[in-house]
Amino acid sequence: MNGKLVTLIGGGGFLGRYVAQELLAAGARVRIAQRDPRQALFLKPQGGLGQTQFAAVDVTRPESVARAIQGSDAVVNLVGILSGDFDAVQVRGARHIAEAAAAASVDTLVHLSALGADAESPSTYGRTKAEGEAAVRAAFPGATILRPSLMFGREDQFVNRFAGMIASAPVVPVLRAGVKFQPLYVVDAAQAVVRALAEPAGFAGKVFELGGPDVITMGGLIRWIAGAIGRDPTIIELPDFAGAAIATFGFLPLAPITRDQWLMLLRDNVVTAGGSGLAAFGIEPTPLAAVAPGWLVRYRRQGRFGVRAEAA
C-alpha cells in the first residue's frame, strides 16, 4: 500500500478512523471524504506531512462522488445509516460510488455492507444493504464486499450505550433477550479492509462475513457488561409484544429504538456458516472480554480507583 492513494468514503466514522490508521501505518496516502470533512480533522496528525487529504462528498450526488474519487488507486465505501433515507444512501449512494470508481479506473473497491444484508429482510436497513451490494456488483464486478457483524470498540455506540444505561439506572429492560450476536472488534474489521486492499487478487469479487469469536445473546451481553463495570441492576427481559409497542411508540426511557431496528432484532446477527470470514485474511478474532474492560472502566462508580480498591 506504500504510496497508493486510498479514498475512504465516510472515513471519519467509527470504522473509518481505524481503517485510516491502518493505511497510514502501511504508508498509504489517505483521502478522507465525507459530508463535513472538518469532523475528520482529528485524523490529520496520525499521518506524515502530506499523507492525509480531506474532501467533501455527498453520496447522493454523483458529481460530488466523482470529484472525491478522482486520482485514487483504491476506494472504500464505509457509508451506512440507521435511520433516514436508506435507499438514497445505501442503494443509490453505493451505486454512485461504484460507478465513479469504475469510470475513474480505480484498481480496487471495498464495499462495507452488513451481516444480515438480505433482499428479503423485514427491515429496510437489511434490505437496502443487500440492494446496495447488488448495485455495487453490477457497476464494479471486482469489488470486495465485507459484511461485518455489530462492531465494538472504544468509541462505539453499541457496548458503550448499554454500559451507560446500566450505570445510570437501577432497572434495565432488555428487548429480544434471546437474539444472538457475534460482536466484531473494530480493529479486526479495519485490518480486514486493508488486507483486501493490499491483496486484491485474492479477495476481488468475493463476499466475506465477518464476526468475532463469541456468539452471545442480548441478555447475556447486558449481564456481561454489568459485571464488567461492577454494577448489579435488576434486569427485566421484556416480552416481544412489549418490545414491538416500544418500537412503535418509542416510550422506553434511555433506550430509544425505531421500528426498523426492532425488525432487525427479530433475526440473529451471526455468520451463516464456516466461522468468521476473518480467517480468510489471516486475522485472529479478538474477544470482547480481551479489550472492552480497558475503556468500560469509566462506567464504574469510582472509575479506575474502584478497580484498584477491589484488587486490594
Side-chain angles (χ1 to χ4, degrees):
M1 299 304 300
N2 190 42
K4 291 189 175 182
L5 176 59
V6 182
T7 296
L8 304 182
I9 310 291
F14 175 47
L15 174 57
R17 67 188 66 192
Y18 287 92
V19 175
Q21 290 171 16
E22 295 287 333
L23 286 169
L24 291 169
R29 293 178 295 137
V30 179
R31 179 183 292 158
I32 308 295
Q34 58 186 62
R35 187 182 291 272
D36 185 355
R38 293 172 298 181
Q39 295 179 352
L41 290 177
F42 65 90
L43 289 168
K44 192 174 182 66
Q46 299 184 27
L49 183 63
Q51 196 179 2
T52 311
Q53 305 174 10
F54 297 88
V57 65
D58 180 348
V59 298
T60 66
R61 299 174 58 189
E63 67 281 4
S64 169
V65 176
R67 284 195 300 268
I69 287 176
Q70 187 176 13
S72 301
D73 296 298
V75 173
V76 182
N77 178 18
L78 297 154
V79 177
I81 57 174
L82 291 174
S83 62
D85 192 340
F86 291 102
D87 188 73
V89 175
Q90 297 186 164
V91 182
R92 297 197 301 274
R95 180 184 299 112
H96 295 158
I97 292 169
E99 289 176 345
S105 299
V106 168
D107 296 329
T108 310
L109 173 63
V110 175
H111 174 75
L112 269 292
S113 183
L115 198 60
D118 183 355
E120 302 300 322
S121 174
S123 77
T124 306
Y125 175 86
R127 177 177 53 77
T128 54
K129 277 293 187 182
E131 292 174 356
E133 289 184 7
V136 168
R137 184 70 73 221
F140 201 110
T144 301
I145 295 175
L146 303 181
R147 295 175 176 172
S149 182
L150 291 170
M151 289 181 281
F152 63 89
R154 184 173 296 274
E155 307 89 353
D156 72 39
Q157 296 298 316
F158 174 50
V159 173
N160 282 306
R161 180 181 179 187
F162 290 128
M165 287 174 55
I166 294 166
S168 62
V171 178
V172 178
V174 182
L175 302 176
R176 296 288 294 161
V179 72
K180 297 176 182 177
F181 300 94
Q182 199 165 344
L184 174 67
Y185 187 33
V186 66
V187 174
D188 293 341
Q191 290 178 351
V193 171
V194 174
R195 293 185 189 184
L197 292 170
E199 303 174 34
F203 304 111
K206 299 179 182 179
V207 179
F208 298 90
E209 294 186 338
L210 308 180
D214 305 314
V215 175
I216 188 170
T217 64
M218 178 68 82
L221 175 64
I222 297 297
R223 290 178 173 86
W224 181 87
I225 295 172
I229 64 175
R231 307 281 183 156
D232 188 24
T234 298
I235 297 174
I236 301 176
E237 298 183 359
L238 298 179
D240 282 355
F241 73 85
I246 289 166
T248 300
F249 302 107
F251 59 78
L252 183 64
L254 301 177
I257 183 172
T258 67
R259 177 67 178 173
D260 201 69
Q261 289 169 337
W262 168 255
L263 294 175
M264 290 163 58
L265 285 176
L266 297 179
R267 294 183 175 184
D268 292 337
N269 193 257
V270 298
V271 298
T272 54
S276 170
L278 288 175
F281 299 93
I283 299 170
E284 185 71 24
T286 304
L288 177 66
V291 292
W295 74 78
L296 288 177
V297 68
R298 69 179 182 270
Y299 296 102
R300 302 180 73 91
R301 284 189 173 84
Q302 290 82 34
R304 297 188 183 278
F305 294 101
V307 175
R308 293 175 182 175
E310 289 177 10

CSV table of all heavy atoms in Angstrom, one decimal, residues 22 146 184 187-196 199 202-203 208-211 275-286:
chain,number,residue,atom,x,y,z
A,22,GLU,N,-4.7,2.2,10.0
A,22,GLU,CA,-4.0,1.0,9.4
A,22,GLU,C,-3.3,1.4,8.1
A,22,GLU,O,-2.2,1.0,7.8
A,22,GLU,CB,-5.0,-0.1,9.2
A,22,GLU,CG,-5.6,-0.7,10.5
A,22,GLU,CD,-4.6,-1.5,11.3
A,22,GLU,OE1,-3.6,-2.1,10.7
A,22,GLU,OE2,-4.8,-1.6,12.5
A,146,LEU,N,-17.6,-6.7,2.2
A,146,LEU,CA,-17.4,-7.2,3.6
A,146,LEU,C,-18.7,-7.0,4.4
A,146,LEU,O,-19.3,-5.9,4.3
A,146,LEU,CB,-16.3,-6.5,4.3
A,146,LEU,CG,-14.9,-6.5,3.6
A,146,LEU,CD1,-13.9,-5.7,4.4
A,146,LEU,CD2,-14.5,-8.0,3.4
A,184,LEU,N,-17.9,-8.0,16.7
A,184,LEU,CA,-16.6,-7.9,16.0
A,184,LEU,C,-15.8,-6.7,16.5
A,184,LEU,O,-16.3,-5.6,16.5
A,184,LEU,CB,-16.9,-7.8,14.5
A,184,LEU,CG,-15.7,-7.6,13.5
A,184,LEU,CD1,-14.8,-8.8,13.5
A,184,LEU,CD2,-16.2,-7.3,12.1
A,187,VAL,N,-11.0,-3.0,15.3
A,187,VAL,CA,-9.6,-3.1,14.7
A,187,VAL,C,-9.5,-4.3,13.8
A,187,VAL,O,-8.8,-4.2,12.8
A,187,VAL,CB,-8.6,-3.2,15.9
A,187,VAL,CG1,-7.2,-3.4,15.3
A,187,VAL,CG2,-8.6,-1.9,16.7
A,188,ASP,N,-10.1,-5.4,14.2
A,188,ASP,CA,-10.1,-6.6,13.3
A,188,ASP,C,-10.7,-6.3,11.9
A,188,ASP,O,-10.3,-6.7,10.9
A,188,ASP,CB,-10.8,-7.8,14.0
A,188,ASP,CG,-10.0,-8.3,15.2
A,188,ASP,OD1,-8.8,-8.0,15.3
A,188,ASP,OD2,-10.7,-9.0,16.0
A,189,ALA,N,-11.9,-5.6,12.0
A,189,ALA,CA,-12.6,-5.2,10.8
A,189,ALA,C,-11.7,-4.3,9.9
A,189,ALA,O,-11.6,-4.5,8.7
A,189,ALA,CB,-13.9,-4.5,11.1
A,190,ALA,N,-11.0,-3.3,10.5
A,190,ALA,CA,-10.2,-2.4,9.8
A,190,ALA,C,-9.0,-3.2,9.1
A,190,ALA,O,-8.6,-2.9,8.0
A,190,ALA,CB,-9.6,-1.3,10.7
A,191,GLN,N,-8.4,-4.1,9.8
A,191,GLN,CA,-7.3,-4.9,9.3
A,191,GLN,C,-7.8,-5.7,8.1
A,191,GLN,O,-7.1,-5.8,7.1
A,191,GLN,CB,-6.7,-5.8,10.3
A,191,GLN,CG,-5.9,-5.0,11.4
A,191,GLN,CD,-5.4,-5.9,12.5
A,191,GLN,OE1,-5.7,-7.1,12.5
A,191,GLN,NE2,-4.6,-5.3,13.3
A,192,ALA,N,-9.0,-6.2,8.1
A,192,ALA,CA,-9.6,-7.0,7.0
A,192,ALA,C,-9.7,-6.1,5.8
A,192,ALA,O,-9.4,-6.5,4.7
A,192,ALA,CB,-10.9,-7.6,7.4
A,193,VAL,N,-10.2,-4.8,6.0
A,193,VAL,CA,-10.3,-3.9,4.9
A,193,VAL,C,-9.0,-3.6,4.2
A,193,VAL,O,-8.9,-3.7,3.0
A,193,VAL,CB,-10.9,-2.6,5.4
A,193,VAL,CG1,-10.9,-1.5,4.3
A,193,VAL,CG2,-12.4,-2.7,5.9
A,194,VAL,N,-8.0,-3.4,5.0
A,194,VAL,CA,-6.7,-3.1,4.5
A,194,VAL,C,-6.0,-4.3,3.8
A,194,VAL,O,-5.4,-4.1,2.7
A,194,VAL,CB,-5.7,-2.6,5.6
A,194,VAL,CG1,-4.3,-2.4,5.1
A,194,VAL,CG2,-6.3,-1.3,6.2
A,195,ARG,N,-6.2,-5.4,4.3
A,195,ARG,CA,-5.7,-6.6,3.6
A,195,ARG,C,-6.4,-6.9,2.3
A,195,ARG,O,-5.8,-7.4,1.3
A,195,ARG,CB,-5.7,-7.8,4.5
A,195,ARG,CG,-4.8,-7.7,5.7
A,195,ARG,CD,-4.7,-8.8,6.6
A,195,ARG,NE,-3.9,-8.5,7.8
A,195,ARG,CZ,-3.6,-9.3,8.7
A,195,ARG,NH1,-3.9,-10.6,8.6
A,195,ARG,NH2,-2.9,-8.9,9.8
A,196,ALA,N,-7.7,-6.6,2.2
A,196,ALA,CA,-8.5,-6.7,1.0
A,196,ALA,C,-7.9,-5.7,-0.1
A,196,ALA,O,-7.9,-6.0,-1.3
A,196,ALA,CB,-9.9,-6.5,1.2
A,199,GLU,N,-4.2,-6.9,-1.2
A,199,GLU,CA,-4.1,-8.2,-2.0
A,199,GLU,C,-5.4,-8.4,-2.8
A,199,GLU,O,-6.1,-9.3,-2.5
A,199,GLU,CB,-3.9,-9.4,-1.0
A,199,GLU,CG,-2.6,-9.2,-0.2
A,199,GLU,CD,-2.5,-10.3,0.8
A,199,GLU,OE1,-2.9,-11.5,0.5
A,199,GLU,OE2,-2.0,-10.1,1.9
A,202,GLY,N,-6.6,-11.8,-4.3
A,202,GLY,CA,-7.2,-12.9,-3.5
A,202,GLY,C,-8.6,-12.6,-3.0
A,202,GLY,O,-9.3,-13.6,-2.6
A,203,PHE,N,-9.0,-11.4,-3.1
A,203,PHE,CA,-10.3,-11.1,-2.5
A,203,PHE,C,-11.3,-10.4,-3.4
A,203,PHE,O,-12.5,-10.3,-3.1
A,203,PHE,CB,-10.1,-10.1,-1.3
A,203,PHE,CG,-9.1,-10.7,-0.3
A,203,PHE,CD1,-7.9,-10.1,-0.1
A,203,PHE,CD2,-9.5,-11.8,0.5
A,203,PHE,CE1,-7.0,-10.7,0.9
A,203,PHE,CE2,-8.6,-12.3,1.4
A,203,PHE,CZ,-7.4,-11.8,1.6
A,208,PHE,N,-17.4,-11.6,2.1
A,208,PHE,CA,-16.9,-12.1,3.3
A,208,PHE,C,-17.8,-11.7,4.5
A,208,PHE,O,-18.0,-10.5,4.7
A,208,PHE,CB,-15.5,-11.7,3.6
A,208,PHE,CG,-14.5,-12.2,2.5
A,208,PHE,CD1,-14.3,-11.4,1.4
A,208,PHE,CD2,-13.9,-13.4,2.6
A,208,PHE,CE1,-13.4,-11.8,0.5
A,208,PHE,CE2,-13.0,-13.9,1.7
A,208,PHE,CZ,-12.8,-13.1,0.6
A,209,GLU,N,-18.3,-12.6,5.3
A,209,GLU,CA,-19.0,-12.3,6.5
A,209,GLU,C,-18.0,-12.3,7.7
A,209,GLU,O,-17.2,-13.2,7.8
A,209,GLU,CB,-20.1,-13.4,6.8
A,209,GLU,CG,-21.2,-13.4,5.8
A,209,GLU,CD,-22.3,-14.3,6.1
A,209,GLU,OE1,-22.1,-15.2,6.9
A,209,GLU,OE2,-23.4,-14.1,5.7
A,210,LEU,N,-18.0,-11.2,8.4
A,210,LEU,CA,-17.0,-11.0,9.5
A,210,LEU,C,-17.7,-11.0,10.9
A,210,LEU,O,-18.6,-10.1,11.1
A,210,LEU,CB,-16.3,-9.7,9.3
A,210,LEU,CG,-15.6,-9.5,7.9
A,210,LEU,CD1,-14.9,-8.1,7.9
A,210,LEU,CD2,-14.7,-10.6,7.6
A,211,GLY,N,-17.3,-11.9,11.7
A,211,GLY,CA,-17.8,-11.9,13.1
A,211,GLY,C,-16.7,-12.2,14.1
A,211,GLY,O,-15.6,-12.7,13.7
A,275,GLY,N,-17.7,-20.4,10.3
A,275,GLY,CA,-17.0,-19.5,11.2
A,275,GLY,C,-16.8,-18.1,10.6
A,275,GLY,O,-17.3,-17.7,9.6
A,276,SER,N,-15.9,-17.3,11.3
A,276,SER,CA,-15.7,-15.9,10.9
A,276,SER,C,-14.9,-15.9,9.6
A,276,SER,O,-13.9,-16.6,9.4
A,276,SER,CB,-14.9,-15.2,12.0
A,276,SER,OG,-14.5,-13.9,11.5
A,277,GLY,N,-15.3,-15.0,8.7
A,277,GLY,CA,-14.5,-14.7,7.5
A,277,GLY,C,-13.2,-14.1,7.7
A,277,GLY,O,-12.4,-13.9,6.8
A,278,LEU,N,-12.9,-13.7,9.0
A,278,LEU,CA,-11.6,-13.1,9.3
A,278,LEU,C,-10.5,-14.1,9.0
A,278,LEU,O,-9.3,-13.7,8.7
A,278,LEU,CB,-11.5,-12.7,10.8
A,278,LEU,CG,-12.4,-11.5,11.2
A,278,LEU,CD1,-12.3,-11.3,12.7
A,278,LEU,CD2,-11.9,-10.2,10.5
A,279,ALA,N,-10.8,-15.4,9.1
A,279,ALA,CA,-9.7,-16.4,8.8
A,279,ALA,C,-9.2,-16.3,7.4
A,279,ALA,O,-8.0,-16.5,7.2
A,279,ALA,CB,-10.3,-17.8,9.0
A,280,ALA,N,-10.0,-15.9,6.4
A,280,ALA,CA,-9.5,-15.7,5.1
A,280,ALA,C,-8.5,-14.6,5.0
A,280,ALA,O,-7.6,-14.6,4.0
A,280,ALA,CB,-10.7,-15.4,4.2
A,281,PHE,N,-8.5,-13.7,5.9
A,281,PHE,CA,-7.5,-12.6,5.9
A,281,PHE,C,-6.3,-12.8,6.9
A,281,PHE,O,-5.5,-12.0,7.1
A,281,PHE,CB,-8.2,-11.3,6.3
A,281,PHE,CG,-9.3,-10.9,5.4
A,281,PHE,CD1,-10.6,-11.3,5.6
A,281,PHE,CD2,-9.0,-10.1,4.2
A,281,PHE,CE1,-11.7,-10.9,4.8
A,281,PHE,CE2,-10.1,-9.8,3.4
A,281,PHE,CZ,-11.4,-10.2,3.6
A,282,GLY,N,-6.3,-14.0,7.5
A,282,GLY,CA,-5.3,-14.4,8.4
A,282,GLY,C,-5.3,-13.6,9.7
A,282,GLY,O,-4.3,-13.4,10.4
A,283,ILE,N,-6.6,-13.2,10.1
A,283,ILE,CA,-6.8,-12.4,11.3
A,283,ILE,C,-7.4,-13.3,12.4
A,283,ILE,O,-8.4,-13.9,12.2
A,283,ILE,CB,-7.7,-11.2,11.0
A,283,ILE,CG1,-7.0,-10.3,10.0
A,283,ILE,CG2,-8.0,-10.4,12.3
A,283,ILE,CD1,-7.9,-9.2,9.5
A,284,GLU,N,-6.8,-13.3,13.6
A,284,GLU,CA,-7.4,-14.0,14.7
A,284,GLU,C,-8.3,-13.1,15.4
A,284,GLU,O,-8.0,-12.0,15.9
A,284,GLU,CB,-6.3,-14.4,15.7
A,284,GLU,CG,-6.7,-15.2,16.9
A,284,GLU,CD,-7.1,-16.6,16.5
A,284,GLU,OE1,-6.6,-17.1,15.5
A,284,GLU,OE2,-7.9,-17.2,17.2
A,285,PRO,N,-9.6,-13.4,15.5
A,285,PRO,CA,-10.6,-12.5,16.0
A,285,PRO,C,-10.4,-12.2,17.5
A,285,PRO,O,-10.0,-13.1,18.3
A,285,PRO,CB,-12.0,-13.2,15.8
A,285,PRO,CG,-11.6,-14.7,15.6
A,285,PRO,CD,-10.2,-14.7,15.0
A,286,THR,N,-10.7,-11.0,17.9
A,286,THR,CA,-10.4,-10.6,19.3
A,286,THR,C,-11.7,-10.7,20.1
A,286,THR,O,-12.7,-10.1,19.7
A,286,THR,CB,-10.0,-9.1,19.3
A,286,THR,OG1,-8.8,-9.0,18.4
A,286,THR,CG2,-9.7,-8.6,20.7
